[in-house]
Amino acid sequence: MGQVYIIQGDITKVEVDAIVNAANNTLLGGGGVDGAIHRAAGPELLEECRKLNGCETGQAKITKGYKLPAKYVIHTVGPIWRGGHKNEEQLLASCYRNSLQLAAENGIKTIAFPSISTGAYRFPVNRAAKIAMLEISKFLEDNDSIEKVYMVCFDEGTTQAYNEAFKEINEKE
Ligand code: ADP
């Protein structure tokens, strides 16, 4: 079965088949990890994104990685946290599920995720971490094609949240 690794660092530097971008609905670039990915990939990424006609919250679209070490970028749009009664948890789970599904369909074996929605979109990181770890674990149980999933956390607090969520899920089994 595929393995999950939680690491701290910059996702644009990770050598995997695909990195996931926490994009916005336009797919035309933004701040945070989105800005970092576009800067590292170069202007051709934005050119390809312009042809995609945006992306709905919870869905995912794939492009090439251009100057990134990763061959592909999977762009997914996390929900903006609005207090928890606007389907935010289900939408965040869909981001992970749909990104992994798209990766599997494209023969991707190693993939790296950032902490979707917990920056500018303000999703509480402890809740987000539980949802992410649960969706990734469920997917790997049912699907043989993905070998490694990296959760790339940018700061110490985020790393801690994902490590705790990972422990919780694995202790239950
Ligand atoms: P969102 O709008 O989905 O909340 P953000 O980019 O604002 O997306 O934040 C998502 C997470 O990505 C935050 O934890 C932020 O610290 C982190 N982040 C920012 N830059 C990078 C990077 N280069 N690599 C990995 N994670 C990053």
Side-chain angles (χ1 to χ4, degrees):
M1 202 173 87
Q3 288 286 310
V4 183
Y5 303 88
I6 294 155
I7 61 175
Q8 198 174 322
D10 179 350
I11 201 166
T12 65
K13 304 274 196 313
V14 181
E15 298 194 7
V16 283
D17 296 335
I19 64 171
V20 177
N21 182 14
N24 58 45
N25 293 118
T26 68
L27 297 185
L28 298 181
V33 71
D34 194 2
I37 289 172
H38 275 276
R39 275 194 300 279
E44 286 170 301
L45 178 61
L46 184 58
E47 265 174 51
E48 187 176 353
C49 284
R50 281 190 208 285
K51 298 175 191 152
L52 297 178
N53 264 316
C55 183
E56 284 181 23
T57 304
Q59 300 299 308
K61 293 191 177 179
I62 191 166
T63 65
K64 289 188 273 182
Y66 300 98
K67 293 198 182 103
L68 290 163
K71 188 170 179 208
Y72 297 103
V73 179
I74 292 174
H75 306 263
T76 188
V77 183
I80 297 172
W81 181 260
R82 300 182 197 278
H85 300 289
K86 300 274 179 199
N87 226 20
E88 293 97 326
E89 299 200 319
Q90 292 83 349
L91 288 167
L92 186 63
S94 298
C95 288
Y96 285 94
R97 213 163 40 239
N98 288 326
S99 297
L100 289 164
Q101 186 60 44
L102 194 54
E105 285 165 15
N106 284 276
I108 287 157
K109 297 197 180 311
T110 57
I111 181 168
F113 282 95
S115 176
I116 299 165
S117 282
T118 69
Y121 285 0
R122 296 210 297 268
F123 202 115
V125 68
N126 290 315
R127 281 194 192 208
K130 274 185 209 160
I131 292 165
M133 291 298 103
L134 201 59
E135 283 308 321
I136 293 168
S137 305
K138 277 199 286 188
F139 191 90
L140 294 177
E141 276 174 27
D142 299 337
N143 184 296
D144 277 342
S145 70
I146 295 182
E147 293 170 3
K148 289 179 178 168
V149 179
Y150 296 90
M151 218 32 250
V152 185
C153 303
F154 206 47
D155 57 81
E156 186 69 40
T158 304
T159 311
Q160 263 178 28
Y162 282 81
N163 274 323
E164 274 167 34
F166 180 79
K167 242 177 63 188
E168 232 177 78
I169 283 170
N170 288 286
E171 277 166 1
K172 276 188 192 146
E173 280 173 5

